[in-house]
Amino acid sequence: MQALSIPTWIIHVSSVMEWIAAIWLVWIYGEVTSNKSWRALSLGMLPALIGAMCACTWHFFENTLSLEWLVTLQASMTVLGNCTLFLAAWWMVRRVNVKPNDF
């Protein structure tokens, strides 16, 4: 666990916990409003969470070379997460019938 300092660990772990809370709150908001696009947004957030967990796991094991595949998985999940968040946001915009040029 010496790969990161204690303050950096606090930031990493709290960021993961905040992301989990955000996913949960967005899902609940989607249920309360009966708006499926908010639930899609929460699902679109999952790949980014997986990527963050990969990074934390790799650092926890002191950046061991045998776990270097986690870096590739983390990068892949970041790309996938960016795409799923874009699609969820696009769906939300289309659902409220707002033209993207109106922003």
Side-chain angles (χ1 to χ4, degrees):
M1 263 186 55
Q2 292 86 10
L4 301 177
S5 66
I6 297 297
T8 305
W9 270 115
I10 291 170
I11 291 169
H12 273 58
V13 172
S14 65
S15 294
V16 169
M17 291 174 18
E18 288 170 355
W19 198 250
I20 291 169
I23 291 170
W24 179 69
L25 290 171
V26 169
W27 181 270
I28 295 298
Y29 184 77
E31 286 184 343
V32 168
T33 61
S34 298
N35 187 339
K36 292 181 181 179
S37 61
W38 283 95
R39 289 187 278 175
L41 178 65
S42 69
L43 293 175
M45 296 168 76
L46 289 175
L49 175 63
I50 293 168
M53 291 176 150
C54 288
C56 288
T57 302
W58 192 56
H59 290 317
F60 181 80
F61 290 104
E62 299 181 8
N63 304 342
T64 304
L65 290 179
S66 63
L67 296 177
E68 197 168 347
W69 59 271
L70 283 171
V71 177
T72 304
L73 181 59
Q74 183 268 331
S76 300
M77 289 295 104
T78 299
V79 171
L80 179 63
N82 290 343
C83 293
T84 57
L85 287 171
F86 168 78
L87 291 172
W90 178 76
W91 187 23
M92 292 174 87
V93 169
R94 297 219 0 130
R95 184 165 167 88
V96 295
N97 296 324
V98 176
K99 296 177 186 171
N101 295 335
D102 291 344
F103 286 100

XYZ file of all heavy atoms in Angstrom:
828
model
N 0.807 -1.191 0.000
C 0.000 0.000 0.000
C 0.851 1.257 0.000
O 0.331 2.338 0.086
C -0.934 0.015 1.204
C -2.298 -0.493 0.859
S -3.565 -0.391 2.137
C -3.599 1.290 2.624
N 2.149 1.128 -0.122
C 3.010 2.299 -0.113
C 3.044 3.019 -1.458
O 3.708 4.030 -1.583
C 4.453 1.917 0.274
C 4.602 1.467 1.698
C 4.326 -0.014 1.867
O 4.204 -0.748 0.914
N 4.225 -0.458 3.104
N 2.341 2.511 -2.452
C 2.374 3.138 -3.773
C 1.791 4.550 -3.737
O 2.194 5.403 -4.517
C 1.613 2.293 -4.785
N 0.864 4.797 -2.828
C 0.243 6.117 -2.710
C 0.345 6.606 -1.272
O 0.361 5.817 -0.337
C -1.235 6.050 -3.111
C -1.558 5.575 -4.521
C -3.060 5.506 -4.715
C -0.941 6.484 -5.559
N 0.357 7.911 -1.109
C 0.371 8.482 0.235
C -1.024 8.362 0.854
O -2.011 8.145 0.151
C 0.788 9.954 0.176
O -0.196 10.708 -0.507
N -1.095 8.531 2.160
C -2.378 8.450 2.858
C -3.381 9.481 2.314
O -4.529 9.120 2.026
C -2.185 8.604 4.383
C -1.339 7.457 4.940
C -3.530 8.686 5.098
C -1.949 6.086 4.797
N -2.987 10.756 2.140
C -3.962 11.703 1.583
C -4.458 11.301 0.183
O -5.640 11.471 -0.140
C -3.195 13.025 1.535
C -2.144 12.892 2.581
C -1.760 11.443 2.559
N -3.576 10.740 -0.634
C -3.989 10.305 -1.966
C -4.948 9.132 -1.868
O -5.922 9.050 -2.625
C -2.758 9.945 -2.816
O -1.880 11.070 -2.837
C -3.148 9.576 -4.230
N -4.708 8.207 -0.936
C -5.633 7.100 -0.717
C -6.996 7.616 -0.291
O -8.037 7.118 -0.749
C -5.109 6.121 0.337
C -4.283 5.037 -0.256
C -2.954 4.812 -0.048
C -4.711 4.030 -1.177
N -2.542 3.734 -0.784
C -3.591 3.234 -1.480
C -5.924 3.739 -1.774
C -3.669 2.150 -2.354
C -6.000 2.654 -2.648
C -4.881 1.880 -2.927
N -6.996 8.605 0.593
C -8.270 9.172 1.056
C -9.048 9.740 -0.130
O -10.263 9.520 -0.260
C -8.021 10.241 2.138
C -7.502 9.566 3.414
C -9.286 11.045 2.426
C -6.991 10.535 4.466
N -8.361 10.438 -1.007
C -9.022 11.007 -2.189
C -9.539 9.906 -3.108
O -10.675 9.957 -3.593
C -8.063 11.957 -2.935
C -7.821 13.209 -2.092
C -8.605 12.311 -4.316
C -6.712 14.079 -2.585
N -8.723 8.880 -3.346
C -9.148 7.782 -4.217
C -10.388 7.075 -3.659
O -11.374 6.885 -4.375
C -8.011 6.770 -4.382
C -7.057 7.082 -5.475
N -6.347 8.238 -5.538
C -6.685 6.350 -6.558
C -5.563 8.225 -6.611
N -5.762 7.085 -7.252
N -10.320 6.692 -2.406
C -11.420 5.931 -1.809
C -12.677 6.793 -1.687
O -13.778 6.331 -1.997
C -10.994 5.352 -0.440
C -12.174 4.723 0.290
C -9.888 4.321 -0.633
N -12.524 8.038 -1.268
C -13.708 8.893 -1.144
C -14.331 9.175 -2.507
O -15.559 9.277 -2.625
C -13.373 10.200 -0.409
O -12.471 10.983 -1.157
N -13.517 9.281 -3.552
C -14.058 9.492 -4.895
C -14.884 8.295 -5.345
O -15.961 8.464 -5.938
C -12.926 9.737 -5.890
O -12.273 10.938 -5.602
N -14.397 7.090 -5.064
C -15.154 5.882 -5.419
C -16.466 5.837 -4.636
O -17.534 5.555 -5.194
C -14.310 4.611 -5.177
C -15.155 3.354 -5.283
C -13.156 4.549 -6.162
N -16.403 6.158 -3.343
C -17.617 6.153 -2.526
C -18.609 7.216 -3.002
O -19.819 6.968 -3.049
C -17.257 6.352 -1.050
C -16.541 5.155 -0.475
S -15.881 5.275 1.208
C -16.702 6.612 1.958
N -18.111 8.385 -3.378
C -18.987 9.440 -3.895
C -19.634 9.014 -5.212
O -20.809 9.313 -5.459
C -18.200 10.732 -4.116
C -17.794 11.425 -2.840
C -16.821 12.560 -3.062
O -16.378 12.765 -4.228
O -16.496 13.257 -2.095
N -18.875 8.338 -6.054
C -19.421 7.890 -7.344
C -20.515 6.855 -7.121
O -21.546 6.886 -7.797
C -18.282 7.343 -8.208
C -18.631 7.267 -9.663
C -18.834 6.137 -10.393
C -18.818 8.355 -10.587
N -19.129 6.451 -11.703
C -19.124 7.808 -11.841
C -18.750 9.737 -10.454
C -19.368 8.587 -12.965
C -18.990 10.509 -11.576
C -19.297 9.935 -12.803
N -20.310 5.949 -6.162
C -21.341 4.955 -5.834
C -22.598 5.661 -5.336
O -23.714 5.336 -5.743
C -20.819 3.947 -4.782
C -19.733 3.056 -5.400
C -21.954 3.103 -4.214
C -18.968 2.218 -4.404
N -22.424 6.651 -4.460
C -23.571 7.417 -3.945
C -24.276 8.153 -5.082
O -25.513 8.192 -5.130
C -23.108 8.393 -2.864
N -23.511 8.721 -6.008
C -24.110 9.448 -7.131
C -24.918 8.498 -8.008
O -26.039 8.840 -8.434
C -23.030 10.144 -7.945
N -24.382 7.324 -8.282
C -25.111 6.335 -9.088
C -26.426 5.983 -8.409
O -27.491 5.957 -9.037
C -24.253 5.067 -9.319
C -23.071 5.383 -10.241
C -25.095 3.924 -9.881
C -22.043 4.269 -10.333
N -26.375 5.742 -7.122
C -27.566 5.375 -6.370
C -28.586 6.505 -6.369
O -29.781 6.287 -6.600
C -27.167 4.980 -4.951
C -28.336 4.605 -4.092
C -29.131 3.494 -4.207
C -28.852 5.354 -2.998
N -30.101 3.512 -3.241
C -29.946 4.644 -2.482
C -28.482 6.551 -2.399
C -30.682 5.091 -1.402
C -29.216 6.989 -1.311
C -30.296 6.277 -0.830
N -28.138 7.737 -6.120
C -29.058 8.882 -6.080
C -29.689 9.159 -7.441
O -30.879 9.490 -7.523
C -28.329 10.122 -5.561
C -27.967 10.090 -4.076
C -27.066 11.266 -3.724
C -29.208 10.069 -3.206
N -28.909 9.027 -8.512
C -29.456 9.224 -9.852
C -30.505 8.155 -10.147
O -31.564 8.442 -10.720
C -28.325 9.234 -10.910
C -28.879 9.156 -12.320
C -27.460 10.469 -10.741
N -30.238 6.917 -9.751
C -31.207 5.835 -9.956
C -32.504 6.126 -9.198
O -33.601 5.994 -9.746
C -30.624 4.495 -9.499
C -31.570 3.359 -9.723
C -32.516 2.884 -8.867
C -31.687 2.565 -10.902
N -33.210 1.843 -9.430
C -32.720 1.634 -10.678
C -31.017 2.561 -12.117
C -33.089 0.692 -11.630
C -31.392 1.614 -13.069
C -32.419 0.696 -12.823
N -32.382 6.523 -7.931
C -33.555 6.840 -7.118
C -34.345 7.991 -7.743
O -35.572 7.954 -7.812
C -33.140 7.192 -5.669
C -32.511 5.978 -4.975
C -34.325 7.716 -4.858
C -33.419 4.786 -4.832
N -33.639 9.026 -8.223
C -34.314 10.142 -8.868
C -35.091 9.670 -10.097
O -36.213 10.116 -10.343
C -33.307 11.228 -9.259
C -33.958 12.452 -9.849
C -34.598 13.380 -9.045
C -33.943 12.674 -11.223
C -35.213 14.496 -9.583
C -34.550 13.786 -11.770
C -35.188 14.694 -10.945
O -35.792 15.785 -11.486
N -34.500 8.756 -10.843
C -35.187 8.200 -12.004
C -36.445 7.444 -11.616
O -37.459 7.509 -12.313
N -36.399 6.730 -10.486
C -37.589 6.020 -10.022
C -38.664 6.985 -9.532
O -39.841 6.817 -9.824
C -37.222 5.043 -8.909
C -36.499 3.816 -9.396
C -36.225 2.822 -8.276
O -36.308 3.196 -7.088
O -35.931 1.666 -8.602
N -38.262 7.998 -8.780
C -39.211 8.958 -8.223
C -39.918 9.736 -9.332
O -41.129 9.975 -9.258
C -38.496 9.922 -7.241
C -39.377 11.097 -6.865
C -38.047 9.176 -5.998
N -39.170 10.109 -10.356
C -39.758 10.885 -11.456
C -40.327 10.013 -12.561
O -40.902 10.534 -13.516
C -38.698 11.826 -12.062
O -37.613 11.039 -12.585
C -38.188 12.826 -11.042
N -40.154 8.707 -12.451
C -40.578 7.753 -13.492
C -39.965 8.103 -14.842
O -40.583 7.945 -15.891
C -42.103 7.712 -13.603
O -42.665 7.260 -12.396
N -38.739 8.572 -14.800
C -38.023 8.963 -16.009
C -36.900 7.948 -16.243
O -35.896 7.947 -15.535
C -37.469 10.377 -15.847
C -36.862 10.912 -17.118
O -36.487 10.167 -18.011
N -36.756 12.226 -17.200
N -37.092 7.093 -17.244
C -36.123 6.028 -17.515
C -34.756 6.557 -17.943
O -33.749 5.876 -17.777
C -36.664 5.082 -18.574
C -37.836 4.277 -18.103
C -38.323 3.343 -19.193
C -39.519 2.564 -18.700
N -40.039 1.672 -19.727
N -34.712 7.759 -18.477
C -33.421 8.283 -18.932
C -32.478 8.536 -17.756
O -31.265 8.412 -17.906
C -33.608 9.545 -19.768
O -34.215 10.567 -19.032
N -33.010 8.865 -16.591
C -32.148 9.037 -15.414
C -31.592 7.696 -14.958
O -30.440 7.604 -14.525
C -32.917 9.712 -14.275
C -33.061 11.180 -14.503
C -34.129 11.831 -15.071
C -32.081 12.182 -14.220
N -33.871 13.168 -15.143
C -32.632 13.423 -14.626
C -30.814 12.161 -13.661
C -31.947 14.614 -14.492
C -30.127 13.364 -13.519
C -30.688 14.560 -13.933
N -32.393 6.658 -15.051
C -31.884 5.325 -14.697
C -30.836 4.874 -15.704
O -29.852 4.244 -15.338
C -33.034 4.331 -14.598
C -33.883 4.600 -13.357
C -34.917 3.556 -13.146
N -36.056 3.867 -14.010
C -37.111 3.109 -14.164
N -37.192 1.965 -13.527
N -38.090 3.461 -14.951
N -31.020 5.240 -16.973
C -30.005 4.932 -17.987
C -28.705 5.664 -17.666
O -27.617 5.119 -17.844
C -30.511 5.304 -19.376
N -28.836 6.893 -17.189
C -27.637 7.644 -16.797
C -26.894 6.930 -15.676
O -25.672 6.811 -15.715
C -28.014 9.065 -16.371
C -26.863 9.946 -15.890
C -25.876 10.212 -17.018
C -27.401 11.250 -15.313
N -27.628 6.426 -14.700
C -26.965 5.723 -13.593
C -26.264 4.458 -14.085
O -25.160 4.141 -13.629
C -27.945 5.402 -12.474
O -28.874 4.427 -12.875
N -26.874 3.761 -15.022
C -26.207 2.581 -15.593
C -24.995 2.988 -16.425
O -23.986 2.279 -16.453
C -27.193 1.774 -16.440
C -28.338 1.106 -15.678
C -29.301 0.443 -16.648
C -27.811 0.113 -14.661
N -25.095 4.122 -17.093
C -23.976 4.627 -17.878
C -22.787 5.033 -17.019
O -21.663 5.128 -17.512
N -23.039 5.252 -15.745
C -21.956 5.626 -14.823
C -21.154 4.412 -14.343
O -20.043 4.568 -13.828
C -22.545 6.362 -13.610
C -23.195 7.687 -13.950
S -24.167 8.379 -12.599
C -22.860 8.985 -11.529
N -21.687 3.222 -14.500
C -21.031 2.017 -13.974
C -19.650 1.728 -14.569
O -18.734 1.366 -13.822
C -21.951 0.806 -14.132
C -23.170 0.791 -13.202
C -24.064 -0.397 -13.535
C -22.747 0.761 -11.752
N -19.444 1.858 -15.888
C -18.093 1.591 -16.396
C -17.025 2.499 -15.776
O -15.906 2.050 -15.509
C -18.219 1.834 -17.907
C -19.652 1.579 -18.210
C -20.391 2.075 -17.000
N -17.366 3.752 -15.517
C -16.406 4.655 -14.879
C -16.084 4.181 -13.458
O -14.942 4.277 -13.001
C -16.943 6.077 -14.857
N -17.087 3.660 -12.764
C -16.855 3.109 -11.422
C -15.934 1.902 -11.488
O -15.012 1.766 -10.678
C -18.192 2.727 -10.781
C -18.102 2.034 -9.426
C -17.462 2.948 -8.377
C -19.486 1.579 -8.970
N -16.157 1.037 -12.457
C -15.294 -0.140 -12.623
C -13.858 0.305 -12.896
O -12.908 -0.249 -12.334
C -15.826 -1.053 -13.744
C -17.161 -1.658 -13.331
C -14.813 -2.148 -14.087
C -17.909 -2.334 -14.459
N -13.690 1.313 -13.749
C -12.354 1.835 -14.027
C -11.676 2.377 -12.780
O -10.485 2.144 -12.552
N -12.423 3.098 -11.963
C -11.854 3.635 -10.717
C -11.453 2.515 -9.774
O -10.402 2.581 -9.126
C -12.874 4.556 -10.052
N -12.253 1.476 -9.719
C -11.920 0.339 -8.857
C -10.686 -0.400 -9.364
O -9.880 -0.895 -8.563
C -13.108 -0.605 -8.741
C -14.255 -0.015 -7.971
S -15.666 -1.120 -7.972
C -16.409 -0.692 -6.408
N -10.522 -0.468 -10.669
C -9.301 -1.073 -11.242
C -8.069 -0.288 -10.806
O -7.058 -0.877 -10.408
C -9.381 -1.103 -12.762
S -10.538 -2.287 -13.442
N -8.155 1.027 -10.890
C -7.013 1.865 -10.503
C -6.682 1.688 -9.028
O -5.512 1.530 -8.654
C -7.314 3.329 -10.815
N -7.697 1.686 -8.186
C -7.461 1.509 -6.748
C -6.871 0.137 -6.448
O -5.973 0.011 -5.607
C -8.762 1.713 -5.965
S -9.304 3.426 -5.898
N -7.376 -0.886 -7.130
C -6.854 -2.237 -6.914
C -5.392 -2.326 -7.312
O -4.568 -2.895 -6.580
C -7.683 -3.260 -7.721
O -9.039 -3.162 -7.310
C -7.168 -4.671 -7.507
N -5.051 -1.753 -8.446
C -3.665 -1.796 -8.906
C -2.742 -1.079 -7.920
O -1.675 -1.570 -7.575
C -3.560 -1.195 -10.306
C -2.248 -1.445 -10.964
C -1.657 -2.669 -11.189
C -1.344 -0.475 -11.486
N -0.452 -2.501 -11.837
C -0.242 -1.160 -12.024
C -1.381 0.912 -11.569
C 0.830 -0.508 -12.629
C -0.320 1.556 -12.172
C 0.769 0.853 -12.690
N -3.179 0.078 -7.446
C -2.368 0.813 -6.469
C -2.295 0.073 -5.139
O -1.261 0.102 -4.474
C -2.929 2.217 -6.244
C -2.758 3.126 -7.409
N -1.596 3.195 -8.147
C -3.614 4.021 -7.960
C -1.748 4.093 -9.101
N -2.961 4.603 -9.017
N -3.386 -0.581 -4.737
C -3.388 -1.322 -3.475
C -2.307 -2.399 -3.470
O -1.667 -2.648 -2.452
C -4.765 -1.945 -3.227
C -4.850 -2.703 -1.933
C -5.042 -2.030 -0.744
C -4.728 -4.085 -1.913
C -5.115 -2.720 0.457
C -4.803 -4.783 -0.723
C -4.998 -4.108 0.471
N -2.117 -3.040 -4.623
C -1.094 -4.078 -4.734
C 0.233 -3.511 -5.228
O 1.046 -4.224 -5.834
C -1.577 -5.222 -5.629
C -2.674 -6.028 -4.992
C -3.989 -5.877 -5.402
C -2.400 -6.898 -3.961
C -5.007 -6.596 -4.816
C -3.404 -7.628 -3.355
C -4.722 -7.474 -3.778
N 0.460 -2.236 -4.928
C 1.734 -1.553 -5.159
C 2.176 -1.589 -6.611
O 3.359 -1.776 -6.916
C 2.812 -2.118 -4.231
C 2.478 -1.936 -2.769
C 3.525 -2.462 -1.829
O 4.617 -2.860 -2.289
O 3.245 -2.484 -0.628
N 1.230 -1.419 -7.518
C 1.509 -1.330 -8.952
C 2.309 -2.528 -9.471
O 3.213 -2.380 -10.293
C 2.226 -0.025 -9.282
C 1.465 1.195 -8.812
O 0.275 1.139 -8.528
N 2.150 2.314 -8.720
N 1.948 -3.694 -8.993
C 2.619 -4.931 -9.386
C 2.502 -5.144 -10.897
O 1.422 -4.994 -11.473
C 1.991 -6.133 -8.655
O 2.048 -5.883 -7.256
C 2.707 -7.427 -8.969
N 3.616 -5.489 -11.526
C 3.621 -5.681 -12.981
C 2.700 -6.811 -13.422
O 2.154 -6.768 -14.527
C 5.040 -5.932 -13.473
C 5.985 -4.721 -13.404
C 7.378 -5.102 -13.905
C 5.432 -3.576 -14.218
N 2.502 -7.814 -12.573
C 1.618 -8.917 -12.953
C 0.150 -8.470 -13.037
O -0.675 -9.161 -13.635
C 1.756 -10.074 -11.955
O 1.335 -9.663 -10.666
N -0.158 -7.328 -12.453
C -1.520 -6.784 -12.521
C -1.626 -5.595 -13.473
O -2.599 -4.849 -13.440
C -1.988 -6.364 -11.122
C -2.137 -7.472 -10.091
C -2.524 -6.897 -8.745
C -3.158 -8.499 -10.549
N -0.633 -5.451 -14.329
C -0.629 -4.311 -15.244
C -1.825 -4.325 -16.200
O -2.221 -3.284 -16.722
C 0.680 -4.267 -16.025
C 0.927 -2.934 -16.674
C 2.346 -2.794 -17.198
O 3.203 -3.617 -16.844
O 2.561 -1.869 -17.972
N -2.427 -5.486 -16.394
C -3.622 -5.574 -17.227
C -4.762 -4.729 -16.661
O -5.654 -4.302 -17.402
C -4.066 -7.027 -17.394
C -4.377 -7.719 -16.093
C -3.500 -8.407 -15.303
C -5.641 -7.773 -15.440
N -4.139 -8.885 -14.188
C -5.453 -8.514 -14.248
C -6.896 -7.282 -15.735
C -6.488 -8.768 -13.351
C -7.932 -7.529 -14.840
C -7.713 -8.270 -13.670
N -4.702 -4.461 -15.346
C -5.723 -3.602 -14.751
C -5.666 -2.179 -15.310
O -6.691 -1.503 -15.403
C -5.564 -3.555 -13.225
C -6.073 -4.773 -12.451
C -5.651 -4.687 -10.989
C -7.572 -4.907 -12.574
N -4.475 -1.736 -15.679
C -4.327 -0.400 -16.264
C -5.050 -0.346 -17.612
O -5.758 0.622 -17.915
C -2.837 -0.027 -16.410
C -2.668 1.312 -17.082
C -2.152 -0.045 -15.055
N -4.894 -1.397 -18.397
C -5.577 -1.471 -19.693
C -7.093 -1.548 -19.501
O -7.852 -0.872 -20.205
C -5.080 -2.684 -20.492
O -3.667 -2.609 -20.621
C -5.723 -2.753 -21.857
N -7.514 -2.348 -18.522
C -8.948 -2.458 -18.240
C -9.496 -1.116 -17.752
O -10.589 -0.697 -18.161
C -9.201 -3.547 -17.202
C -10.659 -3.779 -16.823
C -11.490 -4.168 -18.047
C -10.746 -4.859 -15.747
N -8.735 -0.427 -16.919
C -9.161 0.880 -16.417
C -9.324 1.880 -17.566
O -10.318 2.599 -17.644
C -8.155 1.407 -15.382
C -8.536 2.728 -14.755
C -7.959 3.924 -15.476
O -6.905 3.849 -16.090
N -8.662 5.035 -15.418
N -8.369 1.896 -18.464
C -8.449 2.801 -19.616
C -9.636 2.444 -20.503
O -10.361 3.333 -20.977
C -7.152 2.747 -20.415
N -9.857 1.163 -20.717
C -10.992 0.718 -21.534
C -12.317 1.104 -20.896
O -13.250 1.547 -21.583
C -10.947 -0.797 -21.727
O -9.756 -1.174 -22.365
N -12.412 0.946 -19.592
C -13.638 1.307 -18.884
C -13.871 2.823 -18.909
O -15.015 3.286 -18.962
C -13.600 0.805 -17.437
C -13.721 -0.704 -17.302
S -15.328 -1.335 -17.847
C -14.918 -2.039 -19.419
N -12.784 3.586 -18.914
C -12.930 5.039 -19.017
C -13.513 5.419 -20.368
O -14.440 6.232 -20.455
C -11.571 5.730 -18.793
O -11.103 5.417 -17.471
C -11.679 7.237 -18.945
N -13.002 4.828 -21.430
C -13.524 5.102 -22.775
C -14.982 4.653 -22.872
O -15.846 5.401 -23.344
C -12.661 4.423 -23.860
C -13.324 4.508 -25.225
C -11.284 5.039 -23.895
N -15.258 3.429 -22.420
C -16.629 2.914 -22.461
C -17.554 3.793 -21.623
O -18.668 4.117 -22.037
C -16.672 1.465 -21.977
C -18.054 0.826 -21.941
C -18.650 0.750 -23.342
C -17.974 -0.558 -21.309
N -17.094 4.188 -20.445
C -17.894 5.038 -19.570
C -18.190 6.387 -20.203
O -19.307 6.902 -20.086
N -17.208 6.974 -20.860
C -17.441 8.244 -21.550
C -18.503 8.084 -22.638
O -19.359 8.947 -22.815
C -16.147 8.788 -22.143
C -15.184 9.274 -21.092
O -15.564 9.506 -19.948
N -13.925 9.415 -21.465
N -18.440 6.965 -23.355
C -19.429 6.713 -24.417
C -20.821 6.482 -23.833
O -21.808 7.022 -24.350
C -19.001 5.512 -25.256
S -17.508 5.793 -26.224
N -20.917 5.680 -22.771
C -22.234 5.407 -22.190
C -22.820 6.661 -21.544
O -24.040 6.884 -21.622
C -22.179 4.257 -21.170
O -21.233 4.563 -20.139
C -21.823 2.942 -21.840
N -21.990 7.489 -20.946
C -22.497 8.743 -20.379
C -22.959 9.691 -21.481
O -23.976 10.380 -21.338
C -21.443 9.398 -19.494
C -21.223 8.705 -18.147
C -20.007 9.282 -17.434
C -22.457 8.830 -17.277
N -22.229 9.718 -22.585
C -22.663 10.537 -23.729
C -24.019 10.065 -24.243
O -24.921 10.873 -24.479
C -21.623 10.488 -24.847
C -22.131 11.065 -26.142
C -22.191 12.432 -26.319
C -22.567 10.236 -27.154
C -22.675 12.968 -27.506
C -23.060 10.760 -28.341
C -23.112 12.134 -28.518
N -24.170 8.753 -24.412
C -25.433 8.216 -24.918
C -26.587 8.490 -23.964
O -27.695 8.841 -24.388
C -25.304 6.718 -25.191
C -24.406 6.346 -26.369
C -24.197 4.837 -26.427
C -24.982 6.872 -27.668
N -26.339 8.350 -22.667
C -27.391 8.622 -21.683
C -27.779 10.095 -21.706
O -28.970 10.436 -21.653
C -26.920 8.209 -20.291
N -26.793 10.975 -21.809
C -27.087 12.412 -21.876
C -27.847 12.740 -23.154
O -28.797 13.540 -23.134
C -25.788 13.216 -21.799
N -27.453 12.127 -24.261
C -28.148 12.338 -25.528
C -29.604 11.900 -25.420
O -30.505 12.589 -25.885
C -27.420 11.578 -26.633
C -28.073 11.674 -27.972
C -28.064 12.736 -28.835
C -28.861 10.666 -28.595
N -28.790 12.443 -29.962
C -29.292 11.168 -29.847
C -29.227 9.370 -28.228
C -30.073 10.427 -30.718
C -30.019 8.632 -29.099
C -30.426 9.173 -30.327
N -29.822 10.742 -24.768
C -31.181 10.241 -24.593
C -31.993 11.210 -23.726
O -33.162 11.480 -23.998
C -31.163 8.851 -23.979
C -32.519 8.193 -23.910
C -33.611 8.473 -24.687
C -32.917 7.162 -23.018
N -34.661 7.651 -24.335
C -34.271 6.835 -23.307
C -32.267 6.454 -22.015
C -34.962 5.858 -22.625
C -32.970 5.478 -21.336
C -34.297 5.185 -21.638
N -31.379 11.757 -22.694
C -32.082 12.700 -21.823
C -32.491 13.957 -22.595
O -33.606 14.454 -22.442
C -31.208 13.068 -20.629
C -30.980 11.921 -19.679
S -29.829 12.327 -18.376
C -30.981 13.031 -17.214
N -31.591 14.457 -23.416
C -31.900 15.653 -24.209
C -33.029 15.362 -25.183
O -33.959 16.151 -25.317
C -30.639 16.159 -24.953
C -30.989 17.210 -25.985
C -29.626 16.701 -23.959
N -32.979 14.232 -25.840
C -34.038 13.878 -26.805
C -35.368 13.645 -26.102
O -36.413 13.934 -26.658
C -33.641 12.635 -27.587
C -32.408 12.884 -28.413
C -32.359 12.289 -29.751
N -33.471 11.523 -30.193
C -34.068 11.719 -31.364
N -33.648 12.669 -32.159
N -35.053 10.953 -31.743
N -35.316 13.134 -24.886
C -36.542 12.820 -24.152
C -37.325 14.079 -23.789
O -38.544 14.061 -23.751
C -36.216 12.024 -22.895
C -37.420 11.567 -22.135
C -37.028 10.494 -21.145
N -38.080 10.250 -20.201
C -39.077 9.389 -20.389
N -39.140 8.696 -21.495
N -39.989 9.213 -19.471
N -36.644 15.162 -23.525
C -37.336 16.402 -23.144
C -37.588 17.295 -24.356
O -38.002 18.437 -24.202
C -36.579 17.177 -22.049
C -36.535 16.392 -20.771
C -35.191 17.567 -22.503
N -37.307 16.757 -25.546
C -37.561 17.471 -26.798
C -36.859 18.824 -26.880
O -37.430 19.801 -27.354
C -39.064 17.651 -27.028
C -39.765 16.327 -27.199
O -39.217 15.412 -27.775
N -40.973 16.229 -26.692
N -35.649 18.874 -26.391
C -34.850 20.079 -26.501
C -33.821 19.846 -27.594
O -33.131 18.839 -27.612
C -34.137 20.389 -25.159
C -33.219 21.588 -25.311
C -35.157 20.629 -24.082
N -33.735 20.792 -28.505
C -32.749 20.669 -29.561
C -31.373 21.008 -28.994
O -31.236 21.970 -28.246
C -33.087 21.619 -30.709
C -34.395 21.289 -31.392
C -34.716 22.287 -32.446
C -36.095 21.993 -33.006
N -36.538 23.066 -33.899
N -30.337 20.220 -29.342
C -28.995 20.490 -28.813
C -28.504 21.914 -29.108
O -27.730 22.472 -28.356
C -28.114 19.450 -29.495
C -29.051 18.348 -29.866
C -30.367 19.013 -30.161
N -28.962 22.534 -30.188
C -28.512 23.900 -30.521
C -29.145 24.953 -29.613
O -28.758 26.113 -29.668
C -28.844 24.206 -31.980
C -28.064 23.318 -32.927
O -27.003 22.834 -32.590
N -28.603 23.085 -34.100
N -30.132 24.558 -28.815
C -30.809 25.513 -27.937
C -30.010 25.805 -26.675
O -30.392 26.660 -25.902
C -32.192 25.004 -27.541
C -33.153 25.003 -28.719
O -32.840 25.672 -29.732
O -34.201 24.347 -28.621
N -28.924 25.111 -26.458
C -28.168 25.296 -25.212
C -27.376 26.544 -25.247
O -26.633 26.980 -25.899
C -27.253 24.095 -24.927
C -28.032 22.916 -24.453
C -28.359 21.891 -25.312
C -28.460 22.837 -23.145
C -29.066 20.795 -24.879
C -29.173 21.750 -22.697
C -29.485 20.730 -23.562
